[in-house]
Amino acid sequence: MELDKMDENDWKYHGEGNKSLVVSHVQLSRVLRLLKYPAEDSENPPQTVEQAFRQIQNIVDFSSNVMSSLLGDKFIHSGEVVKLPLEFVRQLSIKVQHQRPAWRCDKVMDIYSGCALCLPNLTSPVLHQPTHTPPLCIEIKPKCGFLPSSKHVSKDIKTKVCRFCMHQHYKVANGKWKRPSLYCPLDLFSGNRQRMHFAIRHLIEEPQNNFKIFKGGQCIYSSKEVSDDSMDLNCLLHHLRPYFLYGNNRINSHVTSKAVLNDFITVLVNALLSGGGGDGEVVTDSRGEGRSFCEASLFNKERIRPGSQGLPSDSVLFRILQTQMLDTLDVEGLYPLYRRVEQHLQDFPKERDTVWSPASLPACVRTRLQMEGPYNEAFLEKLQKCPTEDDGSVEYAAAKVHQYRVAMTAKDCSIMVALVPGSEEEEDDEGIPTQRRLRDFLSSRPPALSYSVSILDLDPKPFDSIPSQLRLDQKIVSCYLRTGGALPKGSLPPHSGIFTAAEREDCTLLFHPM
């Protein structure tokens, strides 16, 4: 990719989040992630070129120096900061504007700095050998996979119902979603295949912004309330069927719809339980029997076989969960420590301003608290060597804030599972460290699929966002307690189930005249 010969026609709109917009190259497996800011600032950029560059470099450093160490570098793609020609950025902004969802247009793309983050396009992995069937990529936002046990938790309901399930009621009550998702993160993170299957099934039934499927780089399945191109069950089955032609639940050589969906979910479960090499030890759930279940989950506990809980220690879910659990205090217990740090920075404002001071300054000044970076080995060491007991120091408070912010990033990350078709003759998979041959989930002639697992969306959470996170937590809990967990009037009931529909279709096929 030659930066001095950039052409906006080589790029297309890919998607966007709250803080950035992403475009993908039409031929190369590359994406560019550009910053966004409020539309009212479109004439006057809110930061300088140097500040924009530093903001993106912060993301790269946090991913490569901090999250990579905690989650495993085999799962991480940190990317690099690039400086783009301003005319290219302006023309690109004009080109993609009409493709953006209307509800995202309260913010505009940064056309002044020319800074962007260049990353591999994980929805369209590079194929080692061309195939007629494009790769499938599944993006899952798993959310928080444990219940808090901190003594600082003020409402007992938080130790019984997970944050995601309570947040669903809050979002439906406030009109964010028309119907709730029945997905529960504790089922996915359980390591129990039945519960994981149950969780992914509900992600498919109500994807919201937590589940997407890409085929050859194109999004083919997502929330209908987010994407106009979202597919219904029949369209999804049409896309999935070529990948799962050899299931053992066939009727007159026809793979049943239920079998296709079940095999698809089984592949995802296998990928999420896999590691990057060798066989990871299965770690028994140490959270205690009560804390590994959410009372809002519809999964029947009686179906659980003894000893079937736990995640392999080299699996992507285990690494994410361990990082999430750096939040040992809950936001309620963390907030007083945030106030301690904030008060210190108010008393000594120069310490807030010397985060990015010249290297000529003493290290004790440059990296004392590192509340907004630099995200280097010293930052990682601070959070890893934090004392277990509060000694009243600002250093202890800062280290706990670091742990909390890292945990929040892990709670909001995404997992990308790429399923790459190959030929039956291939003996092994080279190049992608986390690839595995999928030959253990079907009883006859399995398809030649390999997979890779990646983690994305690993931006550092701002230090000054902690007060708003506490307020949101209080609103979510109070809403759930006020309604007793019941859905508000006017909301739509959860989907009756696309799997039920698939079973009905299969029953019809049984009696279809030949």
Side-chain angles (χ1 to χ4, degrees):
M1 192 172 72
E2 300 179 60
L3 296 179
D4 58 340
K5 297 179 181 179
M6 300 291 281
D7 185 342
E8 69 274 9
N9 295 312
D10 292 335
W11 299 84
K12 61 181 181 180
Y13 178 82
H14 188 80
E16 59 188 293
N18 186 43
K19 296 182 179 179
S20 58
L21 183 147
V22 180
V23 294
S24 57
H25 198 278
V26 295
Q27 291 181 314
L28 304 176
S29 184
R30 284 284 180 271
V31 298
L32 292 173
R33 183 177 160 191
L34 301 107
L35 297 176
K36 301 194 310 186
Y37 44 77
E40 55 265 27
D41 295 330
S42 59
E43 299 298 324
N44 300 294
Q47 56 184 357
T48 65
V49 173
E50 292 74 17
Q51 289 171 327
F53 183 91
R54 174 47 58 192
Q55 181 180 346
I56 299 175
Q57 187 62 52
N58 257 355
I59 296 171
V60 174
D61 292 344
F62 189 75
S63 174
S64 60
N65 297 330
V66 180
M67 300 308 294
S68 180
S69 176
L70 297 170
L71 298 173
D73 55 10
K74 63 191 175 189
F75 298 121
I76 309 298
H77 305 270
S78 298
E80 62 176 335
V81 190
V82 293
K83 192 75 170 63
L84 304 168
L86 289 182
E87 182 58 26
F88 161 75
V89 176
R90 293 187 183 113
Q91 292 301 321
L92 183 64
S93 175
I94 294 171
K95 178 184 177 183
V96 303
Q97 184 60 34
H98 74 280
Q99 299 171 293
R100 299 178 62 198
W103 63 284
R104 287 289 193 187
C105 291
D106 59 329
K107 293 186 178 180
V108 295
M109 196 175 99
D110 171 19
I111 60 172
Y112 294 102
S113 73
C115 299
L117 176 58
C118 183
L119 292 156
N121 185 355
L122 298 177
T123 69
S124 182
V126 177
L127 299 177
H128 297 288
Q129 295 184 5
T131 65
H132 294 294
T133 311
L136 277 180
C137 295
I138 299 89
E139 181 179 344
I140 299 174
K141 201 173 260 301
K143 308 305 284 187
C144 182
F146 71 99
L147 293 170
S149 59
S150 169
K151 63 182 180 182
H152 303 284
V153 171
S154 62
K155 303 295 183 183
D156 190 49
I157 192 67
K158 289 173 65 173
T159 67
K160 298 176 180 178
V161 178
C162 78
R163 165 64 177 259
F164 180 87
C165 290
M166 282 197 283
H167 205 173
Q168 281 295 303
H169 285 75
Y170 181 77
K171 288 180 175 179
V172 172
N174 286 275
K176 167 70 175 177
W177 300 110
K178 294 177 181 177
R179 56 164 48 94
S181 167
L182 297 181
Y183 164 72
C184 179
L186 269 66
D187 290 328
L188 186 71
F189 280 98
S190 69
N192 175 272
R193 287 180 176 271
Q194 294 165 286
R195 291 178 67 186
M196 294 177 70
H197 194 285
F198 188 79
I200 295 173
R201 165 178 172 163
H202 286 302
L203 280 174
I204 296 173
E205 289 183 342
E206 189 61 53
Q208 295 187 357
N209 58 350
N210 303 305
F211 188 84
K212 296 178 182 177
I213 302 176
F214 298 85
K215 180 180 177 182
Q218 287 293 120
C219 183
I220 60 167
Y221 192 79
S222 65
S223 169
K224 291 184 178 180
E225 293 174 79
V226 173
S227 170
D228 293 333
D229 298 322
S230 181
M231 301 294 173
D232 61 15
L233 171 63
N234 289 329
C235 287
L236 176 60
L237 285 167
H238 172 76
H239 285 291
L240 293 181
R241 199 175 292 278
Y243 298 85
F244 305 98
L245 289 175
Y246 307 106
N248 56 356
N249 292 318
R250 288 182 289 180
I251 301 170
N252 296 325
S253 301
H254 173 82
V255 182
T256 66
S257 298
K258 182 182 177 182
V260 170
L261 290 169
N262 284 338
D263 289 345
F264 172 63
I265 294 175
T266 303
V267 168
L268 285 183
V269 170
N270 287 347
L272 294 173
L273 291 176
S274 74
D279 295 321
E281 175 189 1
V282 175
V283 179
T284 305
D285 198 321
S286 60
R287 293 168 289 173
E289 188 65 26
R291 291 185 60 221
S292 63
F293 279 97
C294 167
E295 289 187 359
S297 171
L298 296 182
F299 186 86
N300 184 356
K301 293 183 185 180
E302 295 178 0
R303 294 174 56 195
I304 298 292
R305 292 187 298 271
S308 61
Q309 303 275 101
L311 291 164
S313 59
D314 59 349
S315 68
V316 65
L317 289 177
F318 179 84
R319 300 300 290 267
I320 290 174
L321 182 60
Q322 292 300 300
T323 306
Q324 291 180 355
M325 294 178 76
L326 286 172
D327 173 17
T328 58
L329 301 177
D330 188 73
V331 68
E332 293 184 74
L334 192 278
Y335 183 72
L337 299 179
Y338 161 81
R339 289 294 306 141
R340 186 189 301 175
V341 175
E342 181 61 26
Q343 186 61 54
H344 178 84
L345 294 177
Q346 290 177 10
D347 295 341
F348 302 95
K350 287 186 178 180
E351 289 201 17
R352 189 193 297 272
D353 298 333
T354 55
V355 169
W356 297 109
S357 295
S360 58
L361 285 178
C364 62
V365 176
R366 284 188 288 112
T367 61
R368 175 164 153 74
L369 296 182
Q370 295 182 265
M371 299 320 298
E372 295 291 355
Y375 299 113
N376 51 21
E377 292 181 3
F379 180 93
L380 180 63
E381 186 175 353
K382 280 184 173 69
L383 70 91
Q384 288 180 323
K385 295 186 176 181
C386 177
T388 54
E389 297 296 327
D390 185 358
D391 59 4
S393 68
V394 68
E395 287 82 5
Y396 170 84
K400 295 306 290 186
V401 169
H402 291 336
Q403 288 184 340
Y404 175 80
R405 292 172 59 208
V406 166
M408 291 303 293
T409 293
K411 292 177 186 181
D412 205 33
C413 73
S414 296
I415 300 171
M416 186 71 77
V417 179
L419 304 177
V420 183
S423 66
E424 283 292 315
E425 289 73 29
E426 290 178 358
E427 293 297 324
D428 57 353
D429 304 297
E430 299 178 355
I432 303 179
T434 53
Q435 283 185 334
R436 283 287 183 277
R437 179 66 68 192
L438 298 176
R439 296 187 178 277
D440 59 346
F441 72 96
L442 298 177
S443 64
S444 60
R445 199 186 167 197
L449 284 171
S450 58
Y451 58 76
S452 64
V453 182
S454 305
I455 306 175
L456 57 159
D457 298 336
L458 295 174
D459 295 16
K461 301 298 181 182
F463 166 68
D464 57 11
S465 68
I466 292 174
S468 62
Q469 290 172 13
L470 176 63
R471 290 192 295 271
L472 178 60
D473 183 75
Q474 293 168 338
K475 291 177 181 178
I476 290 170
V477 173
S478 63
C479 175
Y480 194 83
L481 289 174
R482 188 171 61 249
T483 61
L487 292 173
K489 292 181 179 180
S491 63
L492 297 176
H495 278 300
S496 58
I498 62 171
F499 289 76
T500 305
E503 289 164 3
R504 283 199 302 268
E505 175 199 329
D506 294 338
C507 288
T508 304
L509 287 170
L510 279 169
F511 303 102
H512 206 279
M514 298 300 293

